[in-house]
Amino acid sequence: MDDYRNILAKHEDSGGLPLVTHLESVACVAGRIAAKNGMDVRIARRGAVLHDIGKVSPLFQQTLKHGYVRMPGFIFRHEIASLFFLSLLDDLEKDVVIDMIAAHHKSIYDDVRSLGLLDLDGYEDSFGIHSERFEEWSPVALDILEHFDFPVHPVGLEEARSNYEYAVSHCEGLKAGYSLWKGLLMASDQMASALETVDGQMVKKLFVCPDLSFYDRENNLYPLSLTSVDDSRGHTLVTAPTGAGKTDFLMRRCKGRVFYTLPFQASINAMYDRFKEDLKDTDAQIHLLHAASNLKVQDGKVEERIMQRHVGASIKVLTPHQMASIVFGVKGYEAMMLDLKGCDVILDEIHTYSSTIQAIVLRIIEILRVIGCRIHVGTATMPQVLYDKILSLLGGAEKVYEVKLTDDVLRSFNRHIVHKLSSMDDSYQILGSDINDRKKILIVCNQVRRAQSVYLSLKEQYPDVPMMLIHSHYRRIDRQGLEVDLKEVYNQLQEACIVVSTQVVEVSLDISFDVMITECAPIDALIQRFGRINRKRTLETIGKMKPVYVIAPYAGKDALPYDPEVLQRSFDVLPDNGIMEETEVQSMLNKVYPDENFMNIDYSGAIFVNGKWMMKELRHNSKSALLETLDINSATCIVQSDEERYVRNESGTRSELEIPVSYRSVAYLGLRMNKHGTCPYVIPDEAYDSELGLLPDKLRDESNKTYDFL
């Protein structure tokens, strides 16, 4: 057998990374993570070196050769073979290292393919399978371990069996909870695998607290900038209208690394850009966590693009969907827990989510408290029942710094006159007049299909007016271009223009238009939408009103994705031909949401319920547990003409071509799936248009019925 310098960690076709190089990188990252989280650095490095040593086996090495074809029924889990060397550790190290190694790829039992340590031990001669040719390859493994300063001695077959049985016994005795050591190893392994080689300068950037002194700025236009953040209570609840300075205030409340959550891709893209600009003169590592992050930072260094999805950022901008893994125990959740542990977490505008996501956010808050996070909630519009629930979860007034503006200050944020319309047709006369007056008009629809229809109609009616459509179902590269155009072109125009959109413009997108025409949405979402009109706050604009027109709610399926009753109550509480009074917002919210029913969902599969962990350590659930619960853009499509390019290219280019869609909207259509990247569904070319996005009428299931696409 080859000496250890020829042992591979990755397939020959991807460059054939030497195992020693990979282990050095994992150990380097693991040591940094451990040091910054108060964990034993020596154990972290030892577990990192040992975790893949089973890859030395010729049974594994053959799978990395060019042209290898896996035979049916072939079983070899390198992490199981790695456990054969536990006796080289001190007794006090063994249990921790088992936690690091045993489940870093597979749940120890109930694995989706039944390949976990305890799964295999239950119905196969797992030790016999994994110890094949052990006497041949164990000396090479020992040479590698000695290279990393392990005190080694020859390990025979019986000693290997004893080590294996000890690991199985340990795993069988685990209790409900989670393992930060598993999270440490997974985080280290994933980062090292992505970067391939890691140096000391690189890891020094991990787990660095940001310098947030930039936000210690005062401006009389932004009342929260004048509000003290000096309060000993760890958590925060701040209620204030859009434009009052919530983001700066929340950042000033932070003492450590920051996770900043917002609901939509457009809003987190905008916040990422803002933080990068605000903190450009600091050493803060700012990461953006969503599937399109490679696109957003494509002009940065390769290292920066890779680091986006890994642990240790100074500031990480994300949606709560990316944190939902800690509620459902999806693979990798322990690494997310390790990353979050002890951090400041800002939950901005959580009331804008669906009832399902709201309820999951409440469960996230419970877990964040358990792992020592400081939680800061910012809102412009929150029903009292939701506010009270969050306050209770955070420990009540004794633990939470509550900040609200006075009525006098709130009145200075009155900026919209609301008009009610019976239908979209009623808006056409308004449009003509406003276009003649060189107004910038924002039209918001609740469904992609209707947004496309309105856009096409207006484009035909006003062919000479600058106009764009934006929603969530574009190829990511097209969507990024639209976001740039919205902020840097249409937002800056000094002439008439029309933007037709869906909910993607609701939150934290820094645009300021003159007129809004919007379909009725829940009152909290509507108020967020209104915030894109007359947004700029200056001495000249205070007290000036601009119009928003709200169309009467649809019924039945046309009301989706919202509850028709909530829509009707929202429409009823709005003024008609009157000022939207900020002092009345809370009363309006409470009338629309009088009880907690909107927060009740089925938490089946949740791993933390009523203050107790429900799943044993070293286990995790399949991703489907999360996808089935969250009706979010969790699946992807590609058009058929992009498929060859998708297969040929790497993750960054693949991401450009993907169209995010709801898992439920495509999972049962019988569409073919590509086996590369995110395993996207392949759609016909005629089902996509770069101007209009995904075309639902061109997607048909086996019964030739168009699916219900929002």
Side-chain angles (χ1 to χ4, degrees):
M1 186 165 177
D2 294 335
D3 68 46
Y4 72 77
R5 287 177 292 273
N6 296 318
I7 299 298
L8 300 182
K10 290 189 176 182
H11 201 282
E12 285 181 343
D13 292 347
S14 62
L17 181 73
L19 179 60
V20 170
T21 302
H22 176 61
L23 296 182
E24 286 175 346
S25 295
V26 178
C28 182
V29 177
R32 175 68 172 184
I33 294 176
K36 287 295 183 177
N37 284 276
M39 303 165 81
D40 190 304
V41 174
R42 181 172 182 268
I43 295 179
R45 291 183 60 86
R46 284 194 160 203
V49 169
L50 199 59
H51 87 284
D52 269 357
I53 203 67
K55 287 184 175 181
V56 176
S57 168
L59 274 69
F60 183 83
Q61 287 297 302
Q62 68 179 342
T63 68
L64 303 183
K65 301 298 183 181
H66 177 72
Y68 172 78
V69 178
R70 188 181 297 269
M71 299 296 292
F74 174 83
I75 296 174
F76 183 85
R77 299 302 317 161
H78 66 270
E79 62 270 29
I80 293 178
S82 298
L83 296 169
F84 295 172
F85 298 90
L86 286 174
S87 50
L88 300 179
L89 301 166
D90 297 337
D91 287 345
L92 294 178
E93 298 174 332
K94 291 180 181 178
D95 290 355
V96 170
V97 172
I98 293 170
D99 284 359
M100 295 175 69
I101 295 175
H104 76 272
H105 285 299
K106 303 291 183 182
S107 178
I108 55 170
Y109 67 94
D110 284 347
D111 170 64
V112 67
R113 293 174 57 202
S114 297
L115 294 177
L117 173 65
L118 300 186
D119 291 327
L120 291 174
D121 187 69
Y123 69 88
E124 295 276 2
D125 177 16
S126 186
F127 177 76
I129 291 170
H130 290 87
S131 62
E132 183 177 333
R133 299 169 65 183
F134 181 72
E135 291 88 348
E136 176 185 340
W137 65 267
S138 62
V140 182
L142 292 172
D143 286 346
I144 294 176
L145 295 175
E146 191 170 28
H147 170 82
F148 287 102
D149 297 324
F150 262 75
V152 300
H153 63 258
V155 176
L157 202 58
E158 287 309 308
E159 186 173 338
R161 181 186 292 276
S162 177
N163 290 331
Y164 167 79
E165 291 174 350
Y166 181 89
V168 169
S169 177
H170 170 79
C171 291
E172 287 176 336
L174 290 173
K175 298 180 179 179
Y178 68 98
S179 171
L180 285 181
W181 284 103
K182 176 186 172 183
L184 179 145
L185 191 281
M186 292 187 74
S188 305
D189 192 23
Q190 290 164 2
M191 185 179 297
S193 295
L195 293 167
E196 293 204 349
T197 56
V198 176
D199 58 43
Q201 288 300 115
M202 199 178 295
V203 299
K204 283 183 180 179
K205 298 177 181 179
L206 301 177
F207 293 90
V208 174
C209 291
D211 175 3
L212 301 177
S213 57
F214 173 87
Y215 299 104
D216 296 331
R217 51 185 179 173
E218 296 184 355
N219 187 321
N220 289 332
L221 289 174
Y222 307 104
L224 287 175
S225 73
L226 310 176
T227 304
S228 173
V229 295
D230 295 329
D231 189 279
S232 61
R233 288 168 288 190
H235 309 304
T236 312
L237 260 172
V238 55
T239 306
T242 299
K246 281 197 301 296
T247 297
D248 279 26
F249 181 83
L250 292 167
M251 293 298 282
R252 287 164 56 213
R253 281 285 288 164
C254 296
K255 299 182 181 299
R257 294 191 304 120
V258 179
F259 283 72
Y260 201 112
T261 72
L262 283 161
F264 303 119
Q265 177 181 320
S267 56
I268 67 173
N269 283 349
M271 192 60 69
Y272 171 77
D273 288 340
R274 175 175 175 177
F275 287 148
K276 291 287 283 188
E277 176 62 26
D278 290 350
L279 304 177
K280 61 186 178 184
D281 296 326
T282 74
D283 295 328
Q285 300 297 306
I286 304 168
H287 293 176
L288 178 67
L289 186 59
H290 67 69
S293 59
N294 277 345
L295 297 177
K296 192 65 185 171
V297 294
Q298 61 183 346
D299 294 329
K301 297 178 181 178
V302 172
E303 175 192 326
E304 181 187 2
R305 295 202 302 271
I306 292 173
M307 293 293 286
Q308 295 297 312
R309 61 185 182 274
H310 297 293
V311 302
S314 306
I315 300 173
K316 186 168 284 187
V317 188
L318 69 166
T319 70
H321 306 116
Q322 274 109 22
M323 281 202 292
S325 66
I326 68 174
V327 172
F328 293 96
V330 173
K331 183 178 180 179
Y333 83 93
E334 298 98 336
M336 175 67 79
M337 298 270 267
L338 178 74
D339 203 16
L340 285 162
K341 186 173 180 288
C343 289
D344 286 272
V345 180
I346 295 174
L347 301 169
D348 200 359
E349 309 297 3
I350 66 175
H351 52 278
T352 60
Y353 307 136
S354 69
S355 58
T356 298
I357 300 300
Q358 281 186 358
I360 289 171
V361 167
L362 296 179
R363 193 55 54 90
I364 288 173
I365 289 173
E366 290 185 84
I367 296 175
L368 293 177
R369 279 201 68 196
V370 171
I371 60 176
C373 294
R374 289 164 46 91
I375 302 160
H376 313 289
V377 180
T379 176
T381 51
M382 185 180 289
Q384 192 64 43
V385 289
L386 180 57
Y387 184 98
D388 292 342
K389 181 67 173 179
I390 292 173
L391 182 63
S392 174
L393 289 174
L394 293 177
E398 293 183 358
K399 302 290 185 181
V400 181
Y401 180 32
E402 298 178 78
V403 177
K404 296 181 180 179
L405 302 181
T406 66
D407 283 354
D408 285 344
V409 174
L410 285 175
R411 291 188 189 97
S412 73
F413 283 87
N414 292 343
R415 50 193 155 180
H416 303 120
I417 296 180
V418 179
H419 306 277
K420 295 180 178 179
L421 302 177
S422 298
S423 68
M424 183 65 74
D425 291 342
D426 291 347
S427 68
Y428 290 155
Q429 185 175 352
I430 298 164
L431 280 170
S433 174
D434 286 332
I435 288 170
N436 289 334
D437 291 340
R438 300 169 60 85
K439 300 290 181 62
K440 294 190 296 183
I441 303 162
L442 180 60
I443 300 175
V444 186
C445 301
N446 297 336
Q447 297 184 2
V448 172
R449 187 194 305 275
R450 285 203 296 269
Q452 291 169 330
S453 176
V454 168
Y455 172 78
L456 289 172
S457 175
L458 293 177
K459 189 176 179 183
E460 182 178 354
Q461 190 172 355
Y462 301 104
D464 298 325
V465 176
M467 194 177 306
M468 70 172 289
L469 171 69
I470 183 169
H471 53 75
S472 60
H473 300 301
Y474 286 92
R475 292 192 312 177
R476 290 195 174 104
I477 189 66
D478 296 337
R479 165 72 178 273
Q480 176 142 336
L482 290 169
E483 287 184 20
V484 171
D485 286 348
L486 176 60
K487 291 184 291 183
E488 298 182 5
V489 179
Y490 287 82
N491 191 43
Q492 306 299 328
L493 285 175
Q494 301 300 311
E495 59 180 293
C497 66
I498 299 174
V499 171
V500 182
S501 174
T502 57
Q503 298 90 328
V504 298
V505 298
E506 278 180 11
V507 178
S508 293
L509 200 61
D510 192 13
I511 59 174
S512 186
F513 277 48
D514 301 310
V515 180
M516 172 174 283
I517 299 168
T518 177
E519 294 181 350
C520 186
I523 184 64
D524 42 338
L526 277 179
I527 294 170
Q528 288 294 321
R529 292 181 191 182
F530 295 172
R532 306 315 113 189
I533 303 301
N534 200 15
R535 180 177 175 84
K536 293 179 181 178
R537 184 171 169 83
T538 67
L539 292 175
E540 290 73 28
T541 61
I542 291 175
K544 302 291 177 62
M545 306 296 159
K546 290 192 176 181
V548 293
Y549 298 89
V550 182
I551 298 167
Y554 293 94
K557 290 181 65 175
D558 288 333
L560 292 172
Y562 303 119
D563 181 333
E565 293 184 7
V566 172
L567 293 183
Q568 190 59 55
R569 291 200 297 268
S570 298
F571 191 71
D572 291 344
V573 299
L574 288 171
D576 191 10
N577 301 319
I579 294 173
M580 184 74 182
E581 298 280 357
E582 288 291 338
T583 56
E584 297 299 316
V585 165
Q586 193 62 59
S587 174
M588 296 163 68
L589 288 162
N590 296 341
K591 289 177 181 177
V592 174
Y593 300 109
D595 53 46
E596 295 187 10
N597 288 335
F598 70 100
M599 294 186 292
N600 295 329
I601 69 161
D602 179 9
Y603 279 110
S604 297
I607 65 169
F608 188 78
V609 179
N610 297 327
K612 294 182 179 180
W613 296 103
M614 308 302 292
M615 189 164 70
K616 288 187 177 181
E617 293 181 26
L618 307 191
R619 274 205 60 208
H620 57 253
N621 291 318
S622 68
K623 190 177 181 182
S624 61
L626 183 60
L627 300 186
E628 290 288 352
T629 302
L630 303 182
D631 190 16
I632 58 175
N633 292 341
S634 51
T636 56
C637 297
I638 56 172
V639 296
Q640 191 169 356
S641 59
D642 284 338
E643 188 171 16
E644 182 179 348
R645 183 181 170 204
Y646 187 87
V647 171
R648 190 174 62 246
N649 287 283
E650 297 299 323
S651 59
T653 302
R654 285 175 177 168
S655 182
E656 294 179 0
L657 304 176
E658 291 170 350
I659 306 164
V661 293
S662 163
Y663 174 77
R664 294 178 185 175
S665 68
V666 295
Y668 310 107
L669 297 179
L671 294 169
R672 178 171 60 86
M673 293 181 71
N674 184 284
K675 300 300 183 183
H676 295 79
T678 60
C679 298
Y681 295 93
V682 181
I683 63 173
D685 288 357
E686 58 267 25
Y688 184 79
D689 181 275
S690 59
E691 183 179 7
L692 299 176
L694 193 62
L695 303 173
D697 290 333
K698 304 295 184 180
L699 285 177
R700 300 180 183 276
D701 64 18
E702 295 174 346
S703 303
N704 207 36
K705 295 179 181 177
T706 303
Y707 73 85
D708 185 20
F709 192 92
L710 302 181

